Amino acid sequence: MEPVFADFSTTPARLSNAVVGYHRCGVAPSHLALGADGYVKLDFTTDGPEEAAGAVLTVTTLGAGVPMDILLNGKAVAEGLVFPETGGHDAPRDRVLSLPGELLTPGTNLLEIRGPADGEGLLRLTTVTLDPARDSGRARRAMAARASTRSVFAFGTERRPVNSTAWQPASGLLFHIDRGDRAVPAQLSWRGTDGAETAIALRADMSGFHGHYRAADGALGEYRGTLTDRRAYPGGTAGVPPLRFSTEEGQDGDWRPSGELRILLDDGRATPVERVSWTDRRGNAASVTLTAAVVTAEGHAAQGELRDITDTVVDVEASDEFAAGGEVARNLLRRSRSKWLVPDDTAELDFTLQRPAAVASYSLTSANDAPDRDPRDWRLQGSHDGSTWTTLDTRTGERFTRRFETRDFRFANTGAYRRYRLRITDNAGGDEIQLSQVRLLAGAGAAPALAASDFIGYYGPAGESPTGYRGTAVPGPESDPAGIRKEGPREKLLAGDLTDTAQDLDSAARLLGKLAEYLRTP
């Protein structure tokens, strides 16, 4: 019998030798929730003779106290089965059952897991595995091997500043760290080139994490996340190429090759990472500090002159705008005599760049009429994440002497921010504020990128002494075809990965036939 498993802890679910249908269930990032009269059906195949000795079924849930019924080919195997109360409230719990060989039939079989009929509680199902009695654990091993290829993790995140009771939405977190051993991280910490630091501990099933952070301005807070996707490498990197290094391990000056290290860590702040430390599930620990060369978008060394980078603005948002008259914030990016108008004597404009840049000058152009609408007092601020802002330039009592006058404002700044905010706190006496243009200027390497050249650090195998660890950057990305995913409709057919489910032509044909059967069902 091929290994049979259904892993609901990822989206889409990982399936092997199984087509899964469900009814009255909710698909969560880390489990499948069965409500009142809800059920899951696993349609799988057996080869025949080797199943005479029976099979071993393992069902894993989160939490306890919710009964379930288990049927195989329409016959009850267990009724009102309740998991014991052990571990924490959300701790995974396994229940192992022996299935008599006479209940299995050569060819197609149907396993059903039914939730509570009384409507009390939710049965949170994470995995189901089925093994021949002679080789218990085979499906778990196959599932673990398959999961190791899905080494790109995406999380939705929240932050809670110190002394605050409210969690605030934050940018997503995407990471992939692999030394070639496909070991999943248990703890992870990193520091950006702006000085911001973050450390997290991941749940055993990788469904979420909890940690803390120190922002670039020193602000502290908690950090947590929920798994939103787990993808295969390299197709799942979402266009964010990892850093790749050819590495060596050394002790007492003797260095030996140790394979390739890949690091992808994107926390949404668009700030390069300079240090990464992690401990994996096997107890191995590593820490690396990256050295980097600053290059321009054209690949040349950064110079001192300024250039206009307004064309790299991908979004501009205003606290308000006169949309009915077409006098909107987007007009500020055009080289024309259009304008932006807001019916207030204070206003904010937020500019998001395609990539971080160290803006050191900006210009404002007055609009066509009403001089009393001209800005007079304002602050220019920069931010990496859109929540913590640093004031870069402050102006008070400024005046425009004519219409469509452009004035330049230069200031000292070496920090590369992706977001800039113009906060206008007063105008020239009117009830409205208006501008015709805003231009942003930065150094010749206006959108500087940090190209990692090498790293130095340590690697500590589990139970052994740590060794030196160093690496040299490998140019160029890797690529291979992405998997094809299909999603079925009725009895709600669970979305799974066909490349995981079908292991040979026979099973592929059976799977496609089953999919067609579901699609024909009215």
Side-chain angles (χ1 to χ4, degrees), residues 426-486:
D426 198 7
N427 67 358
D431 296 327
E432 299 170 309
I433 291 175
Q434 64 181 18
L435 281 170
S436 179
Q437 285 186 39
V438 175
R439 312 301 295 177
L440 302 175
L441 294 90
L450 286 179
S453 56
D454 55 26
F455 75 77
I456 192 71
Y458 68 81
Y459 175 67
E464 300 180 24
S465 299
T467 65
Y469 194 38
R470 69 185 185 185
T472 303
V474 177
E478 291 182 340
S479 63
D480 63 9
I484 300 173
R485 292 178 181 176
K486 291 287 185 181

Side-chain angles (χ1 to χ4, degrees), residues 363-438:
S363 68
L364 305 181
T365 301
S366 60
N368 62 321
D369 60 5
D372 60 358
R373 297 175 181 173
D374 294 342
R376 177 168 292 182
D377 302 344
W378 64 80
R379 295 192 297 273
L380 183 71
Q381 299 175 312
S383 175
H384 299 290
D385 57 9
S387 59
T388 301
W389 294 87
T390 300
T391 298
L392 306 173
D393 185 50
T394 301
R395 304 283 169 161
T396 58
E398 298 292 342
R399 294 182 181 276
F400 293 83
T401 59
R402 63 184 185 276
R403 301 301 86 205
F404 296 115
E405 176 187 7
T406 298
R407 297 191 58 200
D408 299 325
F409 303 92
R410 190 159 183 168
F411 58 96
N413 175 46
T414 58
Y417 298 93
R418 192 180 178 203
R419 295 175 173 88
Y420 287 88
R421 171 176 290 174
L422 183 66
R423 176 171 287 177
I424 302 171
T425 55
D426 198 7
N427 67 358
D431 296 327
E432 299 170 309
I433 291 175
Q434 64 181 18
L435 281 170
S436 179
Q437 285 186 39
V438 175

Side-chain angles (χ1 to χ4, degrees), residues 61-65 83-94:
T61 68
L62 298 177
F83 282 72
E85 292 281 358
T86 58
H89 172 70
D90 286 328
R93 294 167 171 83
D94 291 342

Side-chain angles (χ1 to χ4, degrees), residues 288-375:
V288 300
T289 297
L290 285 64
T291 63
V294 179
V295 296
T296 70
E298 293 79 18
H300 304 295
Q303 304 296 322
E305 67 267 19
L306 298 177
R307 73 177 180 92
D308 193 334
I309 61 163
T310 312
D311 59 353
T312 70
V313 175
V314 295
D315 188 34
V316 56
E317 294 185 5
S319 54
D320 202 351
E321 58 189 10
F322 184 37
E327 296 171 340
V328 296
R330 199 72 193 173
N331 293 341
L332 295 169
L333 306 179
R334 300 171 180 164
R335 294 185 181 274
S336 66
R337 293 200 165 190
S338 58
K339 72 178 181 182
W340 160 70
L341 175 68
V342 55
D344 202 347
D345 58 3
T346 63
E348 289 184 359
L349 289 164
D350 286 1
F351 301 90
T352 301
L353 305 182
Q354 187 177 28
R355 51 191 178 271
V359 170
S361 180
Y362 60 98
S363 68
L364 305 181
T365 301
S366 60
N368 62 321
D369 60 5
D372 60 358
R373 297 175 181 173
D374 294 342

Side-chain angles (χ1 to χ4, degrees), residues 39-56:
Y39 64 78
V40 175
K41 294 181 179 180
L42 277 76
D43 184 321
F44 64 96
T45 60
T46 62
D47 300 326
E50 69 171 355
E51 276 71 53
V56 176

